[in-house]
Amino acid sequence: MHEVIESRNPARPDEIVWRGEATIEVLDAAVRRARKAAPAWARRPESERVALLECWREVTASRAEELAQLITREMGKTLDESRAEARLLGEKVAVTL
């Protein structure tokens, strides 16, 4: 189902992050599920969709430092860059709303 691959932090080659790489079949299944879910999402009242996205934004904001640490470990970015990226995630959702 998933092939497990290693990803080395470019800044610290000794740090290894193990992650799964999805196969075409896994990606196709995810797309099928998303397409199946889309009509139900569209039928939800706008206020409910907004509330769910605001909740997601709050969760990501509350875990921004954790996200920044993960970004740094896997991508080798500086922690400041990763913190900015994690913060921008919530800002992008806010702009969308």
Side-chain angles (χ1 to χ4, degrees), residues 45-61:
E46 180 181 351
S47 60
E48 189 176 326
R49 293 192 313 260
V50 167
L52 288 167
L53 289 171
E54 285 177 343
C55 180
W56 180 73
R57 182 178 54 83
E58 290 171 13
V59 169
T60 58

Side-chain angles (χ1 to χ4, degrees), residues 25-69:
E25 293 79 17
V26 170
L27 293 173
D28 283 345
V31 169
R32 281 193 304 275
R33 286 191 303 273
R35 285 183 176 152
K36 184 177 177 181
W41 175 257
R43 284 191 303 272
R44 287 179 182 256
E46 180 181 351
S47 60
E48 189 176 326
R49 293 192 313 260
V50 167
L52 288 167
L53 289 171
E54 285 177 343
C55 180
W56 180 73
R57 182 178 54 83
E58 290 171 13
V59 169
T60 58
S62 72
R63 299 182 71 177
E65 183 62 23
E66 180 183 353
L67 290 169
Q69 296 286 338

Side-chain angles (χ1 to χ4, degrees), residues 57 88-97:
R57 182 178 54 83
L88 285 172
L89 175 64
E91 292 176 10
K92 288 177 183 177
V93 173
V95 168
T96 301
L97 299 173

Side-chain angles (χ1 to χ4, degrees), residues 18 39 62 79:
W18 298 96
S62 72
L79 194 50

Side-chain angles (χ1 to χ4, degrees), residues 61-81:
S62 72
R63 299 182 71 177
E65 183 62 23
E66 180 183 353
L67 290 169
Q69 296 286 338
L70 289 169
I71 292 167
T72 293
R73 280 184 55 214
E74 184 162 354
M75 303 305 294
K77 290 184 175 192
T78 67
L79 194 50
D80 284 343
E81 287 177 308

